[in-house]
Amino acid sequence: MIRTSPFSHQPIDRLDRQPFTLQQGQMFFGKVNKLFSNGTAEVVVGKERFVAKLETPLEVAGKYLFQVQMKDGQVVLKVMSSNQPITSHHQLLTSLSLPYLPIYETLLAWMEKEHIQLSKANLLQLAQWLADVEDQSQALNVLKQMLQRGLPLEKDVFFSFLAGTKGDSLTHEINQFLKELHHWNGNTTLKQSLLTTGQFIQNGWTRILAQQVWALMFRDAVDGKNASITEWFLTSGDVPKGETWLGLAEKNIRINVTKTEDGKLSFVQLLQKFIPLAKATDPTIGDELFKQLILLEKGDVSSAHVSILAKTLVNAMVNVIQQSPLEITKQPMSQLFQHLFNISPGKIEQLIQHIQAMIQNDSLGENIIPKEMETYIQKIIESSSHPVHWQGRVWKELFGQIMKHLGLGYEGAIGKGEQPLWTEQLKPLLVQLLQEPVPTQLKEQAEHLLMKLNAPAVTQQQMGPLTQVVFQLPLNLFNYETDITFQWTGRKKENGEIDPHFCRVLFYLDLAHLHETIVDMHVQNKIVSITIFQRNETIEQLAQPYLSSLKERLLEKGYRLSTVQFKPLQQKSNLQPSVNTSEETTLYTGVDIRI
């Protein structure tokens, strides 16, 4: 999917302007305003006025292309054409020994209009860059921003900045790159690392949906709501038919704690690892589980105690994976499934992948589950009676994992003296790929993607004491591909991080059915006010059940929710964002993922 960037940059007038300075070899268009008797003149460049020595006498009110030269420690302006005022940019090409190409006339006209200083070497360089872009107007706008911010005129900086302002979504760029990568038969280790990392970024969102469905299935199976699920999960040579979850858990716990001292110690250590997860989900169950652990350590392996322990532990497992489905495949949860129910990590993964394929409407290949069970899964996915709950802690972890795999914090981690695992991060993997002998098409896709990933750092804006950062995360839900776009504006702390107590956060998300949703969140001294923009007139009514939970969760983090307002979204023609930073006003838009 290709779309325009949902956030405009701040107007140039609000950026820290670079002072107009005269540098050796730089050229600029200026008008002679006054002549003085000592061979000097007042020259006007846009809103700037200064006095400089002229190499030759010129006409008052005439426009000229000047070049800065230093003679005997004094600035002298040399006219780069005849001493007659400029009548056309075409006539300058001969004076500058440049070929008669439209691109050079375009650059000279841009220099005059925007009051830009460039050397002849810069002109030649920019002409080469512009030859490789489709939208020259957008590219010139980017160049103006770079000069305004004092960024170096370097090819990588230019194309990274351009990638950040273009409408190609990050999701689209990643998809195109992976398609080309599949055809490459080079470095197999590097290729596999890129594919694994890229596929995690592509499918991370669908993966969490699949694990959430898995968690709901496990809950329903333990509650006895579907026999086919229980039968499939507990299919094993040493599990009698008709065995219940609690019965099997109690039986295996008894085996673990009574057979050998080593078995008991191993099970105790497993419980010790799991209890913090249980307490974080439900403190009451966590505390009860801790009491059962103490009794077990004291040697109580009676049938009554084991029965209570099994029931408490199974309930705790249901709670944990309901609220944190990412824990399903991690230790100690995967070890508990193995110890209590004889369900191997491989079987867990097999079902998760099958559910993921169902969510994505992919070809399922071999049917690994009964038809009745598959129908039940489809109902969980589709039916509002079994909602897939979106837990904040799950999104937080998933956002962190996606950002890590993209490599957005790679350079920052190195700067702090850390040693991040680069084989799991897309940015350093792309750098490594570009050092390999790869086909031209793959190289171009890798370069485009790398520049897109570099864009947040390059396009970061400093506005006095405030910093603004815009970045995107790819999102693939139910085969609908889009980007989540974030815009953070705030002051920085001494360690370089944005101060979360004083900031403005904007989110933009465009989904298949809700379409564009925009949320503007202000944080002032940890007091939060939120404005939600949507075209759906029922959005306020739909959001009401979640507002009290939002308030509670913010309070847990030390923030107080002040107001939540709902406003109609403007018509698309008025909303359409622009990357043109010369505009006098800017549309400041963004949105929330889900309230």
Side-chain angles (χ1 to χ4, degrees), residues 126-142:
L126 299 188
Q128 290 181 343
W129 296 352
L130 292 180
D132 294 331
V133 300
E134 296 178 2
D135 190 338
Q136 290 186 357
S137 176
Q138 185 182 33
L140 291 173
N141 214 6
V142 165

Side-chain angles (χ1 to χ4, degrees), residues 158-337:
F158 167 70
F159 280 103
S160 292
F161 204 133
L162 184 62
T165 58
K166 287 175 64 177
D168 296 355
S169 73
L170 184 57
T171 302
H172 174 76
E173 293 284 359
I174 291 173
N175 291 345
Q176 292 300 110
F177 168 72
L178 292 177
K179 285 179 183 178
E180 289 297 329
L181 182 64
H182 276 290
H183 302 305
W184 184 47
N185 297 317
N187 187 325
T188 53
T189 303
L190 177 59
K191 178 180 178 179
Q192 188 56 50
S193 294
L194 279 162
L195 287 173
T196 302
T197 302
Q199 286 164 359
F200 178 89
I201 294 167
Q202 273 188 322
N203 302 321
W205 310 100
T206 308
R207 170 82 182 191
I208 194 174
L209 285 178
Q211 292 189 212
Q212 183 77 74
V213 171
W214 198 103
L216 290 167
M217 287 177 58
F218 177 65
R219 180 201 66 187
D220 288 354
V222 170
D223 290 345
K225 292 183 179 179
N226 191 290
S228 67
I229 296 176
T230 297
E231 184 177 344
W232 186 86
F233 269 122
L234 302 186
T235 298
S236 175
D238 55 354
V239 177
K241 191 171 183 179
E243 183 68 87
T244 66
W245 292 85
L246 285 176
L248 185 59
E250 186 176 337
K251 184 185 298 182
N252 283 333
I253 289 174
R254 186 173 290 108
I255 291 172
N256 276 284
V257 300
T258 60
K259 196 169 186 180
T260 65
E261 194 61 33
D262 286 344
K264 176 183 173 181
L265 179 61
S266 176
F267 187 72
V268 166
Q269 290 173 341
L270 184 57
L271 281 181
Q272 289 172 339
K273 293 178 184 177
F274 175 70
I275 286 173
L277 283 176
K279 290 191 72 171
T281 305
D282 187 326
T284 302
I285 291 182
D287 289 340
E288 179 61 29
L289 200 56
F290 182 72
K291 291 177 184 177
Q292 299 297 325
L293 174 63
I294 297 298
L295 291 174
L296 187 62
E297 289 178 322
K298 289 181 177 179
D300 186 351
V301 293
S302 64
S303 295
H305 176 227
V306 170
S307 179
I308 294 172
L309 175 59
K311 184 175 181 179
T312 307
L313 184 54
V314 171
N315 286 338
M317 290 175 68
V318 170
N319 284 344
V320 168
I321 65 173
Q322 278 287 109
Q323 295 199 34
S324 302
L326 293 176
E327 297 294 337
I328 293 172
T329 56
K330 297 179 182 178
Q331 295 184 5
M333 187 62 73
S334 61
Q335 292 174 299
L336 282 172
F337 278 110

Side-chain angles (χ1 to χ4, degrees), residues 56-114:
T56 57
L58 300 174
E59 295 180 13
V60 174
K63 285 188 177 181
Y64 301 89
L65 178 63
F66 295 106
Q67 184 183 56
V68 179
Q69 296 185 345
M70 299 296 294
K71 292 184 179 179
D72 300 325
Q74 184 179 16
V75 173
V76 178
L77 299 183
K78 175 184 177 182
V79 180
M80 297 305 292
S81 60
S82 64
N83 293 343
Q84 298 299 315
I86 296 171
T87 57
S88 74
H89 297 114
H90 187 81
Q91 74 185 63
L92 292 173
L93 297 180
T94 300
S95 302
L96 295 172
S97 301
L98 293 173
Y100 291 98
L101 296 175
I103 186 60
Y104 288 108
E105 291 191 62
T106 299
L107 282 169
L108 290 170
W110 171 70
M111 284 178 63
E112 181 176 6
K113 178 185 176 184
E114 302 293 348

